[in-house]
């Protein structure tokens, strides 16, 4: 499944279920290759080191289910400016998503029209992926190498 407005809407709906409209918060949604959508939120914690990215729960659930993630989006509510932002995956989430290869689509800010986002494959978001140094031909490592 490709990243589309339906996936973004699923992340926004999760955000709205979890946090009141006047609170800052975030959520994420991922597509699995069979069309299922998994959503999650990050942990808020007084100790920031114990916090998790919004995508973490959905990524772990996909892995637990043996599903293949094909697209991911993370959203954040900015109540001060009354808007919802699309956030690109941080480096840690890029690494988590790398398990499913360089063609996983992720939402990044910017884009044409009112959407305010566009889809990019991980290989464009992270063109110099370190894991490629561990393959014989310099290509993105497959899932088996990531899991070993």
């Amino acid at each position: 499944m490709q990243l589309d407005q339906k996936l973004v809407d699923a992340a926004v709906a999760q955000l709205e279920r979890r946090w009141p409209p006047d609170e800052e918060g975030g959520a994420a949604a991922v597509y699995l290759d069979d069309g299922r959508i998994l959503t999650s939120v990050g942990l808020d914690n007084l100790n920031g080191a114990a916090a998790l990215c919004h995508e973490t729960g959905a990524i772990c659930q996909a892995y637990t289910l043996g599903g293949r993630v094909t697209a991911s989006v993370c959203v954040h509510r900015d109540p001060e400016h009354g808007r919802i932002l699309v956030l690109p995956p941080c480096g840690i989430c890029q690494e988590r998503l790398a398990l499913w290869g360089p063609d996983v689509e992720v939402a990044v800010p910017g884009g044409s029209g009112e959407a305010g986002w566009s889809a990019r494959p991980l290989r464009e978001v992270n063109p110099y992926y370190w894991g490629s140094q561990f393959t014989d031909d310099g290509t993105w490592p497959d899932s088996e190498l990531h899991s070993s």
Side-chain angles (χ1 to χ4, degrees):
M1 298 291 300
Q2 292 185 314
L3 203 152
D4 58 12
Q5 189 62 45
K6 180 179 175 182
L7 191 65
V8 175
D9 292 345
V12 171
Q14 178 61 59
L15 173 128
E16 291 174 346
R17 281 190 298 274
R18 176 60 183 87
W19 282 278
D22 60 339
E23 279 190 36
E24 188 171 6
V30 301
Y31 265 132
L32 300 185
D33 58 352
D34 63 7
R36 285 182 288 175
I37 295 176
L38 306 176
T39 63
S40 59
V41 298
L43 295 175
D44 289 332
N45 195 293
L46 182 60
N47 178 349
L52 293 173
C53 298
H54 300 305
E55 301 98 325
T56 306
I59 290 170
C60 289
Q61 186 178 10
Y63 190 76
T64 299
L65 295 171
R68 183 177 173 281
V69 172
T70 61
S72 177
V73 61
C74 182
V75 296
H76 178 82
R77 180 187 294 122
D78 174 8
E80 185 177 327
H81 296 99
R83 61 188 178 165
I84 302 236
L85 307 170
V86 168
L87 303 178
C90 72
I92 298 296
C93 285
Q94 287 181 43
E95 188 63 35
R96 292 171 179 143
L97 292 166
L99 174 64
W100 293 285
D103 296 320
V104 173
E105 289 187 337
V106 297
V108 297
S112 60
E114 295 179 28
W117 62 271
S118 61
R120 297 283 184 266
L122 277 177
R123 79 169 37 99
E124 287 182 19
V125 176
N126 192 350
Y128 301 103
Y129 182 53
W130 70 272
S132 300
Q133 298 303 308
F134 294 95
T135 62
D136 293 335
D137 58 2
T139 59
W140 198 285
D142 61 23
S143 295
E144 291 177 19
L145 183 59
H146 273 283
S147 297
S148 61

